[in-house]
Amino acid sequence: MSALDFYAHVAVCGEVRGVGLGAGPEAWEAALGATCLDVPGGGLLRRDYGLVEINFSPDQPGRQGQMSCFGFGVKIQRLLYDQSPNTVPSPLSREYGEFAPRVPFKQLQAAILALGRTIELDKHNTSSDMDCYRVSASAARIHVVADPDPYGSGDPDPDGHQRGDVWSVDVW
């Protein structure tokens, strides 16, 4: 299994190591480990594992104090500038090996198509600098760099993101 397999699995199945929408913080910790940054605010909780970021909200009334995931993202863009050992949770590194700092959309698209799904441009969530693609029968959205120089400085970072790089895979 490779990092590309991981990204395709998240996009098709909407889960990370068997955990996805509706799971509580304990389930995510069991899947990704205890090394993370919790950022509470406004009654919500954002749990940041570096590559993976999870959002939790309080459960239904009657289940006081319990939270469940209402969305998460695999933030591939972080790998380009933060290559510290903790950016990729160790359970993912052990299972999928090395995570490259750049993922071309064409490669991810081919991996998803090989799993029997289709991908289409989501025109409602596409902007001038970021394309958004929807995966069939999935809650996943794939964000892809459309303009590596969105502010028009004329000097995009040659080591930075390039047109066609996957920015993130988000599940909501």
Side-chain angles (χ1 to χ4, degrees):
M1 302 278 277
S2 69
L4 186 61
D5 295 322
F6 168 71
Y7 300 136
H9 178 83
V10 170
V12 168
C13 300
E15 66 176 29
V16 173
R17 302 190 76 229
V19 182
L21 298 175
E26 306 80 26
W28 282 94
E29 186 173 322
L32 296 177
T35 305
C36 63
L37 174 65
D38 282 345
V39 182
L44 304 176
L45 172 66
R46 181 174 56 88
R47 179 165 282 180
D48 191 341
Y49 282 95
L51 178 63
V52 180
E53 185 176 285
I54 306 117
N55 296 290
F56 300 96
S57 65
D59 276 342
Q60 301 296 328
R63 294 182 59 183
Q64 295 295 72
Q66 295 185 2
M67 301 188 93
S68 61
C69 171
F70 68 87
F72 69 92
V74 178
K75 307 300 185 181
I76 301 165
Q77 83 275 11
R78 293 179 177 174
L79 297 175
L80 192 58
Y81 298 106
D82 185 357
Q83 297 177 8
S84 63
N86 291 335
T87 303
V88 176
S90 57
L92 294 180
S93 294
R94 285 192 301 270
E95 189 169 341
Y96 295 99
E98 185 178 333
F99 282 72
R102 180 175 277 118
V103 178
F105 175 66
K106 294 292 183 194
Q107 289 180 6
L108 180 57
Q109 182 180 35
I112 291 169
L113 294 173
L115 293 173
R117 297 295 174 91
T118 60
I119 299 174
E120 62 184 50
L121 185 66
D122 180 351
K123 294 179 183 175
H124 291 68
N125 292 306
T126 290
S127 66
S128 63
D129 62 332
M130 197 72 61
D131 289 331
C132 180
Y133 293 89
R134 204 167 45 85
V135 179
S136 64
S138 170
R141 299 289 186 271
I142 301 168
H143 294 92
V144 179
V145 175
D147 182 357
D149 184 21
Y151 302 110
S153 67
D155 190 24
D157 180 355
D159 298 320
H161 295 287
Q162 298 173 1
R163 177 174 283 122
D165 283 352
V166 177
W167 183 265
S168 66
V169 178
D170 298 299
V171 178
W172 297 94

